[in-house]
Amino acid sequence: MSRRFLIGLTGGIGSGKTEALRRFSALGASTISLDEIAHEQARPGGAAFLKIVRAFGRRILDDAGRIDRKKVGEKIFSNSNFRKRLERLTHPLILKEMLRKMRLSSGIVVVDVPLLFEGNHEKHFDATLAVLAPFSERLRRVLKRDRLSNLEIKKRMSSQILDEQRMRRADVVIHNDGSLKAFRQNVAQYYQAFCLINQEQR
Ligand code: ATP
């Protein structure tokens, strides 16, 4: 079996990280999504559920007793102290699970880490990859995807670093400013390149 080649994938809200991850997976890569880990841990019985409810109160629960992500989102993106508090509670747990999953994986492993550079997590990866897209395009995509207002999306974007910094810090940059088809083709080319690098390192 080939050795493990770990890629940290990042990008701003609506840049196309999930699309890229899906494509890498379809091509044969192992993929890990920190968003997915966060969702699992925030479910009733999950590692973060009680911590979140204790910190923010039962008002963030829906009628079925699950954490209402919309309510939490509104709270944390309108008050940066709440956001930092939630991050302090959940990030160590998410990171621990990410590392556990990474240890169990092999071959080309792509990990979607939205706050890769904000959290200085580069050290966990062999290479970092940033997906970049113009602000207006990202806004348009997220407006279409989520039931959030223009203002809400901008608030969420303002908690992240700018593409300029991502471009400076990433080993590889993929621009997602054209069609989905073109983006997927680009991802496939990088996948081939990662496979070659991984083979050469055996
Ligand atoms: P978030 O950080 O909010 O999770 P993301 O970076 O994972 O966002 P995606 O969910 O992959 O972004 O993309 C946002 C939306 O834009 C999705 O509905 C996706 O299908 C769409 N999209 C992505 N790239 C393109 C493109 N090149 N053309 C048209 N739509 C696109």
Side-chain angles (χ1 to χ4, degrees):
M1 193 187 292
S2 60
R3 77 183 274 280
R4 193 164 45 206
F5 188 70
L6 295 165
I7 298 145
L9 168 78
T10 195
I13 295 168
S15 58
K17 297 180 296 297
T18 309
E19 282 292 343
L21 203 70
R22 221 176 276 143
R23 188 74 191 124
F24 276 120
S25 171
L27 290 162
S30 294
T31 57
I32 299 170
S33 158
L34 262 57
D35 270 350
E36 255 174 51
I37 293 177
H39 286 194
E40 276 161 24
Q41 293 187 333
R43 285 199 191 114
F49 179 79
L50 284 177
K51 283 180 191 255
I52 300 172
V53 178
R54 270 191 215 120
F56 296 101
R58 299 189 63 82
R59 268 172 302 169
I60 59 158
L61 298 178
D62 65 15
D63 294 342
R66 289 179 301 241
I67 291 173
D68 186 327
R69 287 173 51 78
K70 197 164 160 29
K71 283 184 193 163
V72 176
E74 280 161 11
K75 225 175 159 65
I76 62 169
F77 290 109
S78 57
N79 181 328
S80 65
N81 285 332
F82 281 135
R83 181 169 57 77
K84 285 181 193 143
R85 193 163 163 206
L86 181 73
E87 288 178 358
R88 265 200 309 276
L89 285 177
T90 57
H91 283 188
L93 294 171
I94 296 170
L95 216 59
K96 193 171 159 204
E97 178 63 5
M98 174 190 89
L99 293 172
R100 191 188 69 83
K101 283 183 184 256
M102 278 174 18
R103 277 195 299 274
L104 294 175
S105 60
S106 60
I108 305 295
V109 185
V110 187
V111 189
D112 176 357
V113 190
L115 302 177
L116 177 69
F117 298 125
E118 290 88 334
N120 295 313
H121 299 309
E122 294 105 308
K123 59 184 177 291
H124 300 300
F125 302 97
D126 298 307
T128 55
L129 189 166
V131 179
L132 306 184
F135 184 83
S136 56
E137 186 62 27
R138 288 165 48 205
L139 191 62
R140 198 183 57 75
R141 289 177 193 155
V142 180
L143 274 171
K144 199 168 149 193
R145 188 193 59 188
D146 300 337
R147 269 178 294 160
L148 289 172
S149 70
N150 212 302
L151 183 69
E152 278 173 308
I153 298 166
K154 283 184 177 161
K155 265 191 213 162
R156 283 161 203 229
M157 286 178 168
S158 71
S159 68
Q160 300 187 321
I161 58 166
L162 298 173
D163 269 359
E164 247 169 55
Q165 285 167 270
R166 290 191 185 98
M167 187 133 86
R168 227 183 13 247
R169 289 176 71 169
D171 297 313
V172 176
V173 163
I174 303 185
H175 291 274
N176 181 16
D177 49 7
S179 68
L180 258 179
K181 190 171 169 224
F183 180 55
R184 286 176 184 149
Q185 279 169 352
N186 248 330
V187 171
Q189 281 175 351
Y190 278 104
Y191 178 70
Q192 295 302 337
F194 292 140
C195 287
L196 284 174
I197 295 169
N198 199 31
Q199 275 168 15
E200 276 170 16
Q201 290 179 341
R202 284 174 76 179

